[in-house]
């Protein structure tokens, strides 16, 4: 089963995180990485395992590169039954109530359409000493086992 990683980012950190996750999955799962702004909802495939990397922007909104994909999900309302996904969210605890909202918004949109979230919903804190790509590498170690589950 191949792994498709979609990232939504404002500053580019999401792409670095997505690449770090793909590096971990490269041995067995033929990973591909796409900016959400350049990925069509119709290309979602229940035969793939989806990894969502999403930062949080402004007052708890999606980053600009995630908006086209999120809007298309809302408009098309595809049946995502059978699609399994994991989320690596990024935010900063300085923002309190809106901390890591971007990843939560994307997870909610996908589950509302029938997809199933699996594994730990990781919430990276930009205020921590841990670099996002390093945290992503460690988190991604759990993904192969999830990808292999049916």
């Amino acid at each position: 089963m191949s792994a498709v990683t979609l990232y939504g980012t404002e500053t580019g950190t999401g792409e670095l995180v997505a690449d770090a996750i793909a590096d971990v999955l490269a041995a067995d799962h033929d990973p591909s990485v796409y900016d959400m702004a350049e990925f069509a909802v119709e290309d979602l495939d229940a035969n793939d395992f989806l990894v969502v990397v999403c930062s949080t922007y402004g007052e708890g909104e999606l980053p600009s590169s995630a908006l086209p994909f999120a809007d298309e999900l809302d408009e098309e309302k595809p049946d995502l039954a059978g699609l399994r996904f994991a989320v690596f969210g990024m935010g900063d605890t300085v923002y309190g109530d809106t901390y890591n909202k971007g990843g939560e918004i994307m997870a909610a949109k996908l589950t509302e359409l029938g997809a199933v979230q699996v594994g730990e919903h990781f919430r990276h804190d930009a205020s921590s000493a841990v670099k996002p790509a390093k945290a992503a590498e460690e988190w991604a170690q759990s993904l192969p086992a999830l990808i292999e589950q049916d």
Side-chain angles (χ1 to χ4, degrees), residues 40-103:
V41 166
E42 68 188 27
D43 291 332
L44 289 171
D45 184 342
N47 293 315
D48 293 330
F49 185 87
L50 182 64
V51 180
V52 176
V53 173
C54 194
S55 63
T56 304
Y57 182 69
E59 300 297 314
E61 291 107 33
L62 291 172
S64 58
S65 79
L67 291 173
F69 184 74
D71 290 345
E72 192 178 351
L73 283 173
D74 292 342
E75 292 164 15
E76 301 290 327
K77 298 196 183 326
D79 179 0
L80 299 181
L83 180 69
R84 295 179 317 121
F85 71 97
V87 178
F88 186 97
M90 295 179 296
D92 193 322
T93 51
V94 170
Y95 294 100
D97 292 348
T98 63
Y99 169 62
N100 248 294
K101 275 292 202 205

Short mmCIF file of all heavy atoms in Angstrom, two decimals, residues 40-103:
data_model
loop_
_atom_site.label_atom_id
_atom_site.label_comp_id
_atom_site.label_asym_id
_atom_site.label_seq_id
_atom_site.Cartn_x
_atom_site.Cartn_y
_atom_site.Cartn_z
N ALA A 40 -5.88 17.32 -6.14
CA ALA A 40 -7.33 17.32 -6.37
C ALA A 40 -8.02 16.27 -5.49
O ALA A 40 -7.52 15.15 -5.35
CB ALA A 40 -7.63 17.02 -7.84
N VAL A 41 -9.14 16.64 -4.93
CA VAL A 41 -9.91 15.73 -4.08
C VAL A 41 -10.23 14.44 -4.83
O VAL A 41 -10.19 13.35 -4.25
CB VAL A 41 -11.20 16.43 -3.59
CG1 VAL A 41 -12.18 15.44 -3.00
CG2 VAL A 41 -10.85 17.51 -2.56
N GLU A 42 -10.49 14.53 -6.12
CA GLU A 42 -10.82 13.33 -6.89
C GLU A 42 -9.66 12.33 -6.94
O GLU A 42 -9.86 11.16 -7.27
CB GLU A 42 -11.26 13.70 -8.31
CG GLU A 42 -10.14 14.27 -9.16
CD GLU A 42 -10.62 14.81 -10.51
OE1 GLU A 42 -11.79 15.21 -10.61
OE2 GLU A 42 -9.81 14.81 -11.44
N ASP A 43 -8.46 12.76 -6.60
CA ASP A 43 -7.30 11.87 -6.60
C ASP A 43 -7.12 11.10 -5.29
O ASP A 43 -6.23 10.26 -5.18
CB ASP A 43 -6.02 12.65 -6.93
CG ASP A 43 -6.01 13.13 -8.36
OD1 ASP A 43 -6.65 12.47 -9.22
OD2 ASP A 43 -5.38 14.16 -8.64
N LEU A 44 -7.97 11.38 -4.29
CA LEU A 44 -7.94 10.60 -3.06
C LEU A 44 -8.35 9.17 -3.40
O LEU A 44 -9.33 8.95 -4.13
CB LEU A 44 -8.88 11.18 -2.00
CG LEU A 44 -8.45 12.50 -1.38
CD1 LEU A 44 -9.58 13.06 -0.52
CD2 LEU A 44 -7.18 12.32 -0.55
N ASP A 45 -7.62 8.20 -2.88
CA ASP A 45 -7.85 6.79 -3.21
C ASP A 45 -7.85 5.97 -1.92
O ASP A 45 -6.87 5.98 -1.18
CB ASP A 45 -6.74 6.33 -4.15
CG ASP A 45 -6.93 4.90 -4.65
OD1 ASP A 45 -7.71 4.13 -4.04
OD2 ASP A 45 -6.27 4.55 -5.64
N ALA A 46 -8.94 5.25 -1.68
CA ALA A 46 -9.05 4.44 -0.46
C ALA A 46 -8.00 3.34 -0.41
O ALA A 46 -7.76 2.76 0.65
CB ALA A 46 -10.45 3.84 -0.34
N ASN A 47 -7.35 3.05 -1.53
CA ASN A 47 -6.28 2.05 -1.54
C ASN A 47 -4.96 2.61 -1.03
O ASN A 47 -4.00 1.86 -0.83
CB ASN A 47 -6.10 1.47 -2.94
CG ASN A 47 -7.31 0.66 -3.36
OD1 ASN A 47 -7.82 -0.14 -2.59
ND2 ASN A 47 -7.77 0.88 -4.57
N ASP A 48 -4.89 3.92 -0.88
CA ASP A 48 -3.70 4.57 -0.34
C ASP A 48 -3.91 4.85 1.14
O ASP A 48 -5.04 4.93 1.62
CB ASP A 48 -3.44 5.92 -1.04
CG ASP A 48 -3.07 5.77 -2.50
OD1 ASP A 48 -2.46 4.74 -2.86
OD2 ASP A 48 -3.38 6.70 -3.27
N PHE A 49 -2.80 5.02 1.85
CA PHE A 49 -2.85 5.50 3.22
C PHE A 49 -2.51 6.98 3.16
O PHE A 49 -1.52 7.37 2.55
CB PHE A 49 -1.84 4.76 4.10
CG PHE A 49 -1.94 5.13 5.55
CD1 PHE A 49 -2.83 4.48 6.39
CD2 PHE A 49 -1.16 6.15 6.07
CE1 PHE A 49 -2.94 4.84 7.73
CE2 PHE A 49 -1.25 6.52 7.41
CZ PHE A 49 -2.15 5.85 8.24
N LEU A 50 -3.34 7.81 3.75
CA LEU A 50 -3.17 9.26 3.68
C LEU A 50 -2.54 9.79 4.97
O LEU A 50 -2.98 9.46 6.07
CB LEU A 50 -4.53 9.93 3.46
CG LEU A 50 -4.55 11.44 3.33
CD1 LEU A 50 -3.78 11.89 2.08
CD2 LEU A 50 -6.00 11.93 3.26
N VAL A 51 -1.49 10.57 4.80
CA VAL A 51 -0.88 11.27 5.92
C VAL A 51 -1.12 12.76 5.69
O VAL A 51 -0.80 13.29 4.63
CB VAL A 51 0.64 11.00 6.02
CG1 VAL A 51 1.24 11.76 7.20
CG2 VAL A 51 0.92 9.51 6.14
N VAL A 52 -1.73 13.42 6.67
CA VAL A 52 -2.04 14.85 6.56
C VAL A 52 -1.10 15.61 7.49
O VAL A 52 -1.05 15.34 8.69
CB VAL A 52 -3.51 15.13 6.94
CG1 VAL A 52 -3.79 16.62 6.93
CG2 VAL A 52 -4.45 14.38 6.01
N VAL A 53 -0.39 16.56 6.91
CA VAL A 53 0.48 17.45 7.68
C VAL A 53 -0.12 18.84 7.53
O VAL A 53 -0.30 19.32 6.41
CB VAL A 53 1.92 17.44 7.13
CG1 VAL A 53 2.77 18.48 7.83
CG2 VAL A 53 2.54 16.05 7.25
N CYS A 54 -0.48 19.47 8.64
CA CYS A 54 -1.14 20.77 8.51
C CYS A 54 -0.74 21.70 9.65
O CYS A 54 -0.84 21.36 10.83
CB CYS A 54 -2.65 20.59 8.49
SG CYS A 54 -3.53 22.07 7.95
N SER A 55 -0.31 22.89 9.26
CA SER A 55 0.00 23.92 10.25
C SER A 55 -1.28 24.69 10.57
O SER A 55 -2.35 24.42 10.01
CB SER A 55 1.08 24.86 9.72
OG SER A 55 0.61 25.55 8.58
N THR A 56 -1.16 25.61 11.48
CA THR A 56 -2.27 26.47 11.88
C THR A 56 -1.85 27.90 11.60
O THR A 56 -0.70 28.27 11.84
CB THR A 56 -2.58 26.29 13.38
OG1 THR A 56 -2.83 24.90 13.62
CG2 THR A 56 -3.79 27.10 13.80
N TYR A 57 -2.78 28.69 11.10
CA TYR A 57 -2.45 30.06 10.72
C TYR A 57 -3.40 31.03 11.39
O TYR A 57 -4.57 30.71 11.61
CB TYR A 57 -2.53 30.20 9.19
CG TYR A 57 -2.16 31.57 8.70
CD1 TYR A 57 -0.84 32.01 8.78
CD2 TYR A 57 -3.11 32.43 8.18
CE1 TYR A 57 -0.49 33.28 8.34
CE2 TYR A 57 -2.76 33.69 7.73
CZ TYR A 57 -1.45 34.11 7.82
OH TYR A 57 -1.11 35.35 7.39
N GLY A 58 -2.91 32.22 11.69
CA GLY A 58 -3.77 33.29 12.22
C GLY A 58 -4.48 32.89 13.49
O GLY A 58 -3.88 32.40 14.44
N GLU A 59 -5.77 33.08 13.50
CA GLU A 59 -6.59 32.80 14.69
C GLU A 59 -7.17 31.39 14.65
O GLU A 59 -8.36 31.19 14.87
CB GLU A 59 -7.72 33.83 14.78
CG GLU A 59 -7.25 35.26 14.90
CD GLU A 59 -6.46 35.50 16.18
OE1 GLU A 59 -6.90 35.05 17.25
OE2 GLU A 59 -5.39 36.13 16.10
N GLY A 60 -6.32 30.41 14.32
CA GLY A 60 -6.79 29.03 14.29
C GLY A 60 -7.34 28.61 12.95
O GLY A 60 -8.15 27.68 12.87
N GLU A 61 -6.90 29.25 11.88
CA GLU A 61 -7.38 28.92 10.55
C GLU A 61 -6.42 27.97 9.85
O GLU A 61 -5.29 27.76 10.28
CB GLU A 61 -7.55 30.19 9.69
CG GLU A 61 -8.67 31.09 10.14
CD GLU A 61 -8.14 32.35 10.80
OE1 GLU A 61 -7.07 32.83 10.43
OE2 GLU A 61 -8.81 32.83 11.72
N LEU A 62 -6.88 27.46 8.72
CA LEU A 62 -6.02 26.65 7.87
C LEU A 62 -5.00 27.56 7.19
O LEU A 62 -5.31 28.70 6.86
CB LEU A 62 -6.85 25.94 6.79
CG LEU A 62 -7.77 24.83 7.28
CD1 LEU A 62 -8.66 24.35 6.13
CD2 LEU A 62 -6.98 23.67 7.87
N PRO A 63 -3.81 27.04 6.92
CA PRO A 63 -2.83 27.82 6.16
C PRO A 63 -3.29 27.98 4.72
O PRO A 63 -4.11 27.19 4.23
CB PRO A 63 -1.56 26.98 6.26
CG PRO A 63 -2.06 25.59 6.45
CD PRO A 63 -3.32 25.71 7.27
N SER A 64 -2.75 28.97 4.02
CA SER A 64 -3.22 29.27 2.67
C SER A 64 -3.10 28.10 1.71
O SER A 64 -3.98 27.90 0.86
CB SER A 64 -2.49 30.50 2.11
OG SER A 64 -1.09 30.27 2.09
N SER A 65 -2.07 27.28 1.82
CA SER A 65 -1.94 26.19 0.85
C SER A 65 -2.95 25.06 1.09
O SER A 65 -3.19 24.24 0.20
CB SER A 65 -0.51 25.63 0.81
OG SER A 65 -0.25 24.76 1.87
N ALA A 66 -3.57 25.02 2.27
CA ALA A 66 -4.58 23.99 2.55
C ALA A 66 -5.97 24.42 2.11
O ALA A 66 -6.86 23.57 1.94
CB ALA A 66 -4.59 23.67 4.04
N LEU A 67 -6.18 25.70 1.92
CA LEU A 67 -7.54 26.19 1.63
C LEU A 67 -8.17 25.64 0.36
O LEU A 67 -9.34 25.24 0.39
CB LEU A 67 -7.55 27.72 1.62
CG LEU A 67 -7.33 28.38 2.99
CD1 LEU A 67 -7.18 29.89 2.84
CD2 LEU A 67 -8.47 28.03 3.94
N PRO A 68 -7.46 25.57 -0.77
CA PRO A 68 -8.11 25.04 -1.97
C PRO A 68 -8.61 23.60 -1.79
O PRO A 68 -9.72 23.26 -2.21
CB PRO A 68 -7.03 25.10 -3.05
CG PRO A 68 -6.05 26.13 -2.57
CD PRO A 68 -6.10 26.04 -1.07
N PHE A 69 -7.80 22.77 -1.15
CA PHE A 69 -8.18 21.38 -0.91
C PHE A 69 -9.37 21.30 0.05
O PHE A 69 -10.33 20.56 -0.19
CB PHE A 69 -6.97 20.61 -0.37
CG PHE A 69 -7.22 19.14 -0.18
CD1 PHE A 69 -7.28 18.28 -1.27
CD2 PHE A 69 -7.38 18.61 1.10
CE1 PHE A 69 -7.49 16.92 -1.09
CE2 PHE A 69 -7.59 17.26 1.28
CZ PHE A 69 -7.65 16.41 0.18
N ALA A 70 -9.32 22.06 1.13
CA ALA A 70 -10.41 22.06 2.10
C ALA A 70 -11.71 22.55 1.47
O ALA A 70 -12.78 21.96 1.69
CB ALA A 70 -10.04 22.94 3.30
N ASP A 71 -11.61 23.61 0.66
CA ASP A 71 -12.80 24.12 -0.03
C ASP A 71 -13.37 23.09 -1.00
O ASP A 71 -14.59 22.92 -1.10
CB ASP A 71 -12.48 25.42 -0.78
CG ASP A 71 -12.21 26.59 0.16
OD1 ASP A 71 -12.54 26.49 1.37
OD2 ASP A 71 -11.65 27.60 -0.32
N GLU A 72 -12.48 22.38 -1.69
CA GLU A 72 -12.94 21.36 -2.63
C GLU A 72 -13.62 20.21 -1.89
O GLU A 72 -14.63 19.67 -2.37
CB GLU A 72 -11.76 20.85 -3.48
CG GLU A 72 -12.21 20.02 -4.65
CD GLU A 72 -11.06 19.54 -5.54
OE1 GLU A 72 -9.90 19.99 -5.36
OE2 GLU A 72 -11.32 18.69 -6.40
N LEU A 73 -13.10 19.83 -0.74
CA LEU A 73 -13.76 18.80 0.08
C LEU A 73 -15.18 19.24 0.43
O LEU A 73 -16.13 18.46 0.33
CB LEU A 73 -12.99 18.52 1.37
CG LEU A 73 -11.73 17.67 1.29
CD1 LEU A 73 -11.02 17.66 2.63
CD2 LEU A 73 -12.04 16.25 0.84
N ASP A 74 -15.32 20.50 0.84
CA ASP A 74 -16.63 21.04 1.22
C ASP A 74 -17.60 21.09 0.03
O ASP A 74 -18.79 20.83 0.19
CB ASP A 74 -16.48 22.45 1.81
CG ASP A 74 -15.78 22.45 3.16
OD1 ASP A 74 -15.70 21.39 3.81
OD2 ASP A 74 -15.31 23.53 3.56
N GLU A 75 -17.08 21.42 -1.14
CA GLU A 75 -17.93 21.55 -2.33
C GLU A 75 -18.29 20.19 -2.93
O GLU A 75 -19.45 19.95 -3.28
CB GLU A 75 -17.23 22.41 -3.38
CG GLU A 75 -17.11 23.86 -2.97
CD GLU A 75 -16.08 24.62 -3.81
OE1 GLU A 75 -15.67 24.13 -4.88
OE2 GLU A 75 -15.69 25.72 -3.38
N GLU A 76 -17.31 19.32 -3.08
CA GLU A 76 -17.51 18.03 -3.76
C GLU A 76 -18.16 16.99 -2.85
O GLU A 76 -18.85 16.09 -3.33
CB GLU A 76 -16.17 17.49 -4.28
CG GLU A 76 -15.47 18.41 -5.26
CD GLU A 76 -16.18 18.50 -6.59
OE1 GLU A 76 -16.78 17.49 -7.03
OE2 GLU A 76 -16.14 19.60 -7.18
N LYS A 77 -17.87 17.05 -1.55
CA LYS A 77 -18.37 16.08 -0.58
C LYS A 77 -18.19 14.63 -1.06
O LYS A 77 -19.16 13.87 -1.18
CB LYS A 77 -19.83 16.35 -0.22
CG LYS A 77 -20.03 17.70 0.42
CD LYS A 77 -21.35 17.80 1.09
CE LYS A 77 -21.64 19.15 1.70
NZ LYS A 77 -20.58 19.91 2.24
N PRO A 78 -16.94 14.24 -1.36
CA PRO A 78 -16.71 12.87 -1.85
C PRO A 78 -16.97 11.84 -0.76
O PRO A 78 -16.85 12.14 0.43
CB PRO A 78 -15.23 12.89 -2.23
CG PRO A 78 -14.63 13.89 -1.30
CD PRO A 78 -15.69 14.97 -1.16
N ASP A 79 -17.32 10.62 -1.17
CA ASP A 79 -17.47 9.52 -0.22
C ASP A 79 -16.07 8.98 0.04
O ASP A 79 -15.46 8.39 -0.84
CB ASP A 79 -18.37 8.44 -0.82
CG ASP A 79 -18.55 7.26 0.12
OD1 ASP A 79 -17.98 7.27 1.24
OD2 ASP A 79 -19.25 6.31 -0.28
N LEU A 80 -15.57 9.17 1.24
CA LEU A 80 -14.22 8.74 1.57
C LEU A 80 -14.20 7.46 2.41
O LEU A 80 -13.20 7.15 3.07
CB LEU A 80 -13.47 9.86 2.29
CG LEU A 80 -13.29 11.15 1.49
CD1 LEU A 80 -12.50 12.18 2.30
CD2 LEU A 80 -12.62 10.88 0.15
N ALA A 81 -15.31 6.71 2.38
CA ALA A 81 -15.36 5.44 3.11
C ALA A 81 -14.21 4.56 2.65
O ALA A 81 -13.93 4.45 1.46
CB ALA A 81 -16.70 4.75 2.87
N GLY A 82 -13.53 3.97 3.61
CA GLY A 82 -12.42 3.08 3.30
C GLY A 82 -11.06 3.77 3.34
O GLY A 82 -10.03 3.10 3.39
N LEU A 83 -11.06 5.10 3.30
CA LEU A 83 -9.80 5.84 3.36
C LEU A 83 -9.35 5.96 4.81
O LEU A 83 -10.12 6.38 5.67
CB LEU A 83 -9.96 7.23 2.75
CG LEU A 83 -8.71 8.11 2.76
CD1 LEU A 83 -7.66 7.55 1.79
CD2 LEU A 83 -9.05 9.55 2.36
N ARG A 84 -8.12 5.56 5.08
CA ARG A 84 -7.56 5.69 6.42
C ARG A 84 -6.49 6.77 6.39
O ARG A 84 -5.76 6.89 5.42
CB ARG A 84 -6.99 4.36 6.90
CG ARG A 84 -8.09 3.31 7.07
CD ARG A 84 -7.59 1.95 7.51
NE ARG A 84 -6.39 1.54 6.83
CZ ARG A 84 -5.23 1.26 7.43
NH1 ARG A 84 -5.12 1.32 8.74
NH2 ARG A 84 -4.17 0.90 6.74
N PHE A 85 -6.40 7.54 7.47
CA PHE A 85 -5.44 8.64 7.49
C PHE A 85 -4.90 8.89 8.90
O PHE A 85 -5.51 8.52 9.89
CB PHE A 85 -6.06 9.93 6.93
CG PHE A 85 -7.09 10.56 7.82
CD1 PHE A 85 -6.75 11.62 8.67
CD2 PHE A 85 -8.40 10.12 7.80
CE1 PHE A 85 -7.70 12.22 9.48
CE2 PHE A 85 -9.37 10.72 8.61
CZ PHE A 85 -9.01 11.77 9.46
N ALA A 86 -3.73 9.53 8.93
CA ALA A 86 -3.10 9.95 10.17
C ALA A 86 -2.77 11.44 10.03
O ALA A 86 -2.59 11.94 8.91
CB ALA A 86 -1.84 9.15 10.44
N VAL A 87 -2.69 12.14 11.17
CA VAL A 87 -2.48 13.59 11.14
C VAL A 87 -1.27 14.00 11.99
O VAL A 87 -1.14 13.59 13.14
CB VAL A 87 -3.72 14.35 11.65
CG1 VAL A 87 -3.48 15.86 11.67
CG2 VAL A 87 -4.95 14.02 10.80
N PHE A 88 -0.45 14.85 11.38
CA PHE A 88 0.64 15.53 12.09
C PHE A 88 0.29 17.01 12.03
O PHE A 88 0.38 17.64 10.98
CB PHE A 88 1.99 15.28 11.41
CG PHE A 88 3.16 15.84 12.19
CD1 PHE A 88 3.89 15.02 13.04
CD2 PHE A 88 3.53 17.17 12.07
CE1 PHE A 88 4.97 15.52 13.76
CE2 PHE A 88 4.60 17.68 12.78
CZ PHE A 88 5.33 16.86 13.63
N GLY A 89 -0.18 17.55 13.16
CA GLY A 89 -0.56 18.96 13.22
C GLY A 89 0.57 19.81 13.76
O GLY A 89 1.42 19.34 14.52
N MET A 90 0.56 21.07 13.35
CA MET A 90 1.58 22.00 13.84
C MET A 90 0.91 23.26 14.34
O MET A 90 -0.04 23.76 13.72
CB MET A 90 2.55 22.34 12.71
CG MET A 90 3.35 21.13 12.26
SD MET A 90 4.48 21.51 10.92
CE MET A 90 3.34 21.94 9.62
N GLY A 91 1.42 23.75 15.45
CA GLY A 91 0.88 24.96 16.04
C GLY A 91 1.82 25.47 17.11
O GLY A 91 2.96 25.01 17.23
N ASP A 92 1.33 26.40 17.89
CA ASP A 92 2.14 27.00 18.95
C ASP A 92 1.23 27.20 20.16
O ASP A 92 0.19 27.86 20.05
CB ASP A 92 2.70 28.35 18.47
CG ASP A 92 3.80 28.89 19.36
OD1 ASP A 92 3.68 28.73 20.60
OD2 ASP A 92 4.75 29.47 18.83
N THR A 93 1.63 26.65 21.31
CA THR A 93 0.79 26.75 22.51
C THR A 93 0.60 28.19 22.97
O THR A 93 -0.31 28.46 23.75
CB THR A 93 1.38 25.91 23.67
OG1 THR A 93 2.75 26.24 23.84
CG2 THR A 93 1.23 24.42 23.40
N VAL A 94 1.39 29.11 22.47
CA VAL A 94 1.22 30.52 22.79
C VAL A 94 -0.21 30.97 22.43
O VAL A 94 -0.77 31.86 23.05
CB VAL A 94 2.27 31.38 22.03
CG1 VAL A 94 1.97 32.86 22.14
CG2 VAL A 94 3.66 31.07 22.54
N TYR A 95 -0.79 30.31 21.42
CA TYR A 95 -2.11 30.71 20.93
C TYR A 95 -3.27 30.06 21.66
O TYR A 95 -4.42 30.22 21.26
CB TYR A 95 -2.21 30.46 19.41
CG TYR A 95 -1.26 31.36 18.65
CD1 TYR A 95 -0.05 30.88 18.19
CD2 TYR A 95 -1.58 32.69 18.44
CE1 TYR A 95 0.84 31.71 17.51
CE2 TYR A 95 -0.69 33.54 17.77
CZ TYR A 95 0.50 33.03 17.31
OH TYR A 95 1.38 33.87 16.66
N GLY A 96 -2.99 29.31 22.73
CA GLY A 96 -4.05 28.80 23.61
C GLY A 96 -5.12 28.01 22.91
O GLY A 96 -4.87 26.93 22.39
N ASP A 97 -6.34 28.56 22.86
CA ASP A 97 -7.51 27.85 22.35
C ASP A 97 -7.39 27.45 20.88
O ASP A 97 -8.06 26.51 20.45
CB ASP A 97 -8.78 28.71 22.50
CG ASP A 97 -9.17 28.88 23.96
OD1 ASP A 97 -8.62 28.17 24.82
OD2 ASP A 97 -10.03 29.74 24.23
N THR A 98 -6.59 28.16 20.11
CA THR A 98 -6.49 27.84 18.69
C THR A 98 -5.27 26.97 18.37
O THR A 98 -4.99 26.70 17.21
CB THR A 98 -6.45 29.12 17.83
OG1 THR A 98 -5.27 29.88 18.16
CG2 THR A 98 -7.70 29.97 18.05
N TYR A 99 -4.57 26.54 19.41
CA TYR A 99 -3.37 25.69 19.23
C TYR A 99 -3.69 24.45 18.40
O TYR A 99 -4.60 23.71 18.71
CB TYR A 99 -2.83 25.28 20.61
CG TYR A 99 -1.78 24.21 20.59
CD1 TYR A 99 -0.56 24.42 19.95
CD2 TYR A 99 -2.00 22.99 21.22
CE1 TYR A 99 0.42 23.43 19.95
CE2 TYR A 99 -1.02 22.01 21.22
CZ TYR A 99 0.18 22.22 20.58
OH TYR A 99 1.14 21.26 20.57
N ASN A 100 -2.99 24.29 17.29
CA ASN A 100 -3.08 23.12 16.43
C ASN A 100 -4.44 22.92 15.77
O ASN A 100 -4.81 21.80 15.41
CB ASN A 100 -2.69 21.86 17.22
CG ASN A 100 -1.40 21.28 16.72
OD1 ASN A 100 -1.34 20.82 15.59
ND2 ASN A 100 -0.38 21.31 17.54
N LYS A 101 -5.17 23.97 15.57
CA LYS A 101 -6.51 23.89 14.97
C LYS A 101 -6.47 23.42 13.52
O LYS A 101 -7.39 22.77 13.05
CB LYS A 101 -7.22 25.24 15.03
CG LYS A 101 -7.93 25.48 16.33
CD LYS A 101 -9.10 24.55 16.46
CE LYS A 101 -10.10 25.09 17.42
NZ LYS A 101 -10.91 24.08 18.03
N GLY A 102 -5.41 23.78 12.78
CA GLY A 102 -5.33 23.40 11.36
C GLY A 102 -5.46 21.90 11.16
O GLY A 102 -6.27 21.43 10.35
N GLY A 103 -4.68 21.12 11.91
CA GLY A 103 -4.76 19.67 11.81
C GLY A 103 -6.12 19.14 12.25
O GLY A 103 -6.65 18.20 11.66
#
